[in-house]
């Protein structure tokens, strides 16, 4: 998937019980593009940066970067 190994701004929209944040790449509009799943401490409504480590079917996964 495009973007693996890069940093990407992410808008956290939901937080699962597992602690993963799901959201969208900043500045994409809601419903456009795939979902980005991040581990870390991001909370819904927050914008953070993630290091993308994988992806499948248009969705991306990564780890939150604390700067």
């Amino acid at each position: 998937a495009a973007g693996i190994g890069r940093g990407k701004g992410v808008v956290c929209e939901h937080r699962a019980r597992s602690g993963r944040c799901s959201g969208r790449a900043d500045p994409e509009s809601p419903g456009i593009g795939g979902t980005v799943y991040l581990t870390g401490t991001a909370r819904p409504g927050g914008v953070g940066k993630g290091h993308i480590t994988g992806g499948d079917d248009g969705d991306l996964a990564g780890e939150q970067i604390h700067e």
Side-chain angles (χ1 to χ4, degrees):
I4 294 176
R6 295 180 171 170
K8 184 175 280 289
V10 177
V11 177
C12 181
E13 296 177 325
H14 306 282
R15 186 153 180 90
R17 288 184 186 180
S18 67
R20 284 185 14 171
C21 162
S22 62
R24 58 187 164 84
D26 183 34
E28 291 182 354
S29 298
I32 305 296
T35 301
V36 181
Y37 298 95
L38 289 181
T39 60
T41 59
R43 298 280 180 226
V47 178
K49 188 168 185 179
H51 175 76
I52 304 303
T53 58
D56 190 26
D57 292 330
D59 295 334
L60 298 173
E63 302 167 343
Q64 184 177 3
I65 299 170
H66 298 280
E67 298 180 304

